Amino acid sequence: MIDSHSPAPGPGRPKDPAKREAILAAAQVLFLAKGYEGSSMDAIASEAGVSKLTLYSHFKDKEALFCAAVKATCETRLPRRLFQLADDCRIEAVLLAIGLAFNALVNSPESIGLHRVMVGMATQNPALVRMFFDAGPQQLLSDLQRMFAEVDARGLLTIAEPLRAAEHFCSLIKGARHFRLLIGYVEAADADAGSDEAHVRDVVATFLRAYGR
């Protein structure tokens, strides 16, 4: 079940950003190594080198910390600047940059491990799984949806349904390799950077053919 503890403390000294980062890093390590249920707030505080009081001053409960860790990982690997269209942008280059970043994120050992944890939690804690999806995958889809709406408005591509186009793009990038990684059929180390880039370039070319004006 979702771990809920005492409410966040009231106003006090300003929070230390470095400690917040240390807590998020520790949470990512433990959630991947021991799963959500196997990672206590005590253990995360110890791993981060902070007191339990400091941990709760940043995150009110384990649920909030988990969602923040997922969101931080996505924002680091897929920064918002990738979805900002310059006046003179080439849409092919924009899609290639996003595709390469997403491909690297979704197929990384950390992401594969987290997805496996969420699959295991699907029947035990569906509320947490929904929160994971909203904090990570849904955020990416929303960013793409907004960008594709702007792409259509500028006449760069013809995209009548931006959300559907976002789902198509992500599904094409993940392809069959992502599933092979999830079930352990192959390992991430088996692929090389050249094959990853060739895959993403092929996806972008296919997407442009489908939505080109």
Side-chain angles (χ1 to χ4, degrees), residues 161-202:
E161 299 181 74
L163 178 56
R164 179 171 293 185
E167 293 174 346
H168 288 167
F169 184 77
C170 291
S171 296
L172 286 169
I173 291 293
K174 290 173 72 174
R177 179 172 174 242
H178 180 67
F179 184 65
R180 294 190 185 101
L181 287 167
L182 279 177
I183 63 174
Y185 186 81
V186 296
E187 298 296 331
D190 293 341
D192 59 72
S195 63
D196 278 352
E197 182 172 350
H199 166 67
V200 174
R201 287 187 179 279
D202 188 44

Side-chain angles (χ1 to χ4, degrees), residues 8-212:
R13 292 189 302 174
K15 297 180 177 63
D16 185 345
K19 289 183 178 179
R20 177 184 172 86
E21 292 302 315
I23 293 168
L24 286 173
Q28 291 175 48
V29 169
L30 290 180
F31 284 140
L32 289 177
K34 299 185 178 181
Y36 180 83
E37 297 291 354
S39 302
S40 68
M41 293 293 266
D42 285 332
I44 293 171
S46 177
E47 177 75 17
V50 301
S51 69
K52 195 171 179 181
L53 181 62
T54 297
L55 188 154
Y56 279 112
S57 74
H58 287 272
F59 303 98
K60 66 178 183 179
D61 52 32
K62 190 164 73 170
E63 171 190 328
L65 175 54
F66 178 78
C67 292
V70 172
K71 187 174 181 180
T73 299
C74 292
E75 289 179 348
T76 299
R77 303 292 290 270
L78 279 166
R80 292 298 175 82
R81 60 177 174 76
L82 292 177
F83 304 91
Q84 297 171 357
L85 300 177
D87 293 338
D88 59 346
C89 72
R90 291 176 54 250
I91 190 59
E92 180 180 5
V94 172
L95 292 176
L96 183 60
I98 294 173
L100 288 171
F102 178 58
N103 183 75
L105 169 61
V106 79
N107 291 327
S108 67
E110 296 80 10
S111 179
I112 293 299
L114 187 56
H115 277 76
R116 287 171 177 164
V117 169
M118 289 298 97
V119 171
M121 296 291 292
T123 56
Q124 303 173 39
N125 197 337
L128 181 69
V129 174
R130 287 193 293 270
M131 290 173 189
F132 158 74
F133 187 85
D134 290 341
Q138 184 58 56
Q139 184 60 58
L140 169 62
L141 290 173
S142 297
D143 287 340
L144 281 172
Q145 180 183 10
R146 285 190 292 270
M147 190 189 79
F148 284 150
E150 183 178 352
V151 166
D152 180 73
R154 289 196 192 185
L156 299 174
L157 297 173
T158 300
I159 303 180
E161 299 181 74
L163 178 56
R164 179 171 293 185
E167 293 174 346
H168 288 167
F169 184 77
C170 291
S171 296
L172 286 169
I173 291 293
K174 290 173 72 174
R177 179 172 174 242
H178 180 67
F179 184 65
R180 294 190 185 101
L181 287 167
L182 279 177
I183 63 174
Y185 186 81
V186 296
E187 298 296 331
D190 293 341
D192 59 72
S195 63
D196 278 352
E197 182 172 350
H199 166 67
V200 174
R201 287 187 179 279
D202 188 44
V203 166
V204 170
T206 301
F207 190 86
L208 291 176
R209 285 195 297 271
Y211 290 97

